[in-house]
Amino acid sequence: IRAASLSGDCRWLREINRGHYGFIKQHQKCVKRRAILSILNNPSCKSKEDAERAVNKVFNSCFTDTRPFEEIY
């Protein structure tokens, strides 16, 4: 979650190029989608539902953690 959020991979223009349009919480949606895809690539993950459950469980605390940066753009 932190990697997806802080990497710049979820910038608005990149999302438009991927075909994901939205104005409301688009960054959060992208971060969740990218984190789920990352977990699905782990051989220990048994299903998409397990990945979604894991991401949703820790999303709020991880998403708001921007250390060592003060803010993200």
Side-chain angles (χ1 to χ4, degrees), residues 1 6-8 12-14 17 24 31 40 43 46 51 54-55 63 65-66 68:
I1 293 169
L6 299 173
S7 69
W12 196 69
L13 285 176
R14 288 185 186 214
N17 289 335
I24 299 173
V31 169
L40 284 171
K46 295 177 177 32
V55 168
F63 184 76
D65 182 4
T66 60

Side-chain angles (χ1 to χ4, degrees), residues 25-56:
K25 295 191 177 190
Q26 183 60 39
H27 183 74
Q28 289 90 330
K29 290 176 188 176
C30 174
V31 169
K32 278 188 179 184
R33 188 178 66 254
R34 307 290 292 175
I36 290 167
L37 289 172
S38 178
I39 291 173
L40 284 171
N41 285 322
N42 186 318
S44 298
C45 182
K46 295 177 177 32
S47 68
K48 184 175 181 181
E49 290 77 23
D50 286 345
E52 289 172 349
R53 197 170 17 259
V55 168
N56 288 330

Side-chain angles (χ1 to χ4, degrees), residues 8-27 30 73:
D9 198 36
C10 287
R11 288 196 171 133
W12 196 69
L13 285 176
R14 288 185 186 214
E15 281 292 274
I16 289 174
N17 289 335
R18 291 183 187 125
H20 298 281
Y21 302 93
F23 294 101
I24 299 173
K25 295 191 177 190
Q26 183 60 39
H27 183 74
C30 174
Y73 298 99

